[in-house]
Amino acid sequence: MGFSELMTFVFGVIFIIILYFIIYYALKIMYKDVKGGGRRRRPSSAVRNFGIEVLSAGDNSSLEEGSVLLLNDSLTIGRKEGNTIRLTDQYVSGSHAKIIVRNNEIEVEDLNSTNGVFVNDGKVKGRCKIKANDKIRIGSATFKVIRADKK
């Protein structure tokens, strides 16, 4: 057996070993992906669903009293097309307010509306944190923040 045949054999064995390591690590990564990344995920007990219930539709023909709207990330309210909740009330601005859900907290923001946003009969200036059972009045419409805990 010559030197070149010996080197060919050695490089062949090294190549096969490297190939097996690559296949092993690829299978290990795929197994972790299938099993959830190798981490145990506990369901969070702090996850909540928030919504707003229409208590009074006022002069808005587009709202129905008693209906509930789910709050995911953010929701806009106003008279213009493109708002999540479009109100027809004459006292509502084009882009009146925004409701934001972030880190299990809810904020309402007055978007420089003419007649303002009221939370529990207090006028909002800028942003205001709100919680379950708070009442939001925009124009003649009144909404109530509701929460349903996931269990």
Side-chain angles (χ1 to χ4, degrees), residues 50-117:
F50 293 100
I52 56 172
E53 178 183 4
V54 180
L55 292 180
S56 169
D59 297 334
N60 297 289
S61 59
S62 59
L63 293 179
E64 186 176 327
E65 291 182 15
S67 61
V68 176
L69 303 159
L70 184 62
L71 294 174
N72 289 327
D73 294 330
S74 68
L75 163 105
T76 56
I77 303 170
R79 290 179 72 176
K80 285 184 185 175
E81 291 280 338
N83 283 306
T84 312
I85 300 175
R86 188 166 178 241
L87 301 177
T88 56
D89 189 342
Q90 66 179 352
Y91 300 108
V92 176
S93 299
S95 295
H96 199 97
K98 185 174 189 176
I99 299 176
I100 304 158
V101 178
R102 190 178 308 136
N103 298 329
N104 287 330
E105 291 183 347
I106 311 172
E107 293 180 339
V108 65
E109 179 180 4
D110 185 355
L111 301 175
N112 297 320
S113 63
T114 305
N115 295 311
V117 176

Side-chain angles (χ1 to χ4, degrees), residues 7-146:
M7 291 305 289
T8 305
F9 177 74
V10 170
F11 282 120
V13 170
I14 291 173
F15 177 74
I16 290 172
I17 290 172
I18 292 172
L19 187 63
Y20 275 109
F21 274 116
I22 291 171
I23 292 171
Y24 171 76
Y25 282 113
L27 290 173
K28 186 176 176 182
I29 290 170
M30 286 188 279
Y31 178 77
K32 281 185 177 182
D33 283 345
V34 169
K35 292 295 181 182
R39 289 181 236 126
R40 286 200 119 156
R41 293 187 182 157
R42 289 175 276 146
S44 175
S45 61
V47 175
R48 297 185 179 108
N49 281 332
F50 293 100
I52 56 172
E53 178 183 4
V54 180
L55 292 180
S56 169
D59 297 334
N60 297 289
S61 59
S62 59
L63 293 179
E64 186 176 327
E65 291 182 15
S67 61
V68 176
L69 303 159
L70 184 62
L71 294 174
N72 289 327
D73 294 330
S74 68
L75 163 105
T76 56
I77 303 170
R79 290 179 72 176
K80 285 184 185 175
E81 291 280 338
N83 283 306
T84 312
I85 300 175
R86 188 166 178 241
L87 301 177
T88 56
D89 189 342
Q90 66 179 352
Y91 300 108
V92 176
S93 299
S95 295
H96 199 97
K98 185 174 189 176
I99 299 176
I100 304 158
V101 178
R102 190 178 308 136
N103 298 329
N104 287 330
E105 291 183 347
I106 311 172
E107 293 180 339
V108 65
E109 179 180 4
D110 185 355
L111 301 175
N112 297 320
S113 63
T114 305
N115 295 311
V117 176
F118 295 86
V119 174
N120 298 328
D121 295 323
K123 190 169 185 176
V124 173
K125 293 181 178 127
R127 280 190 179 182
C128 172
K129 287 190 180 187
I130 55 177
K131 58 189 181 306
N133 298 321
D134 281 349
K135 292 181 180 155
I136 304 167
R137 186 168 47 87
I138 297 172
S140 61
T142 306
F143 304 93
K144 179 181 176 183
V145 179
I146 58 175

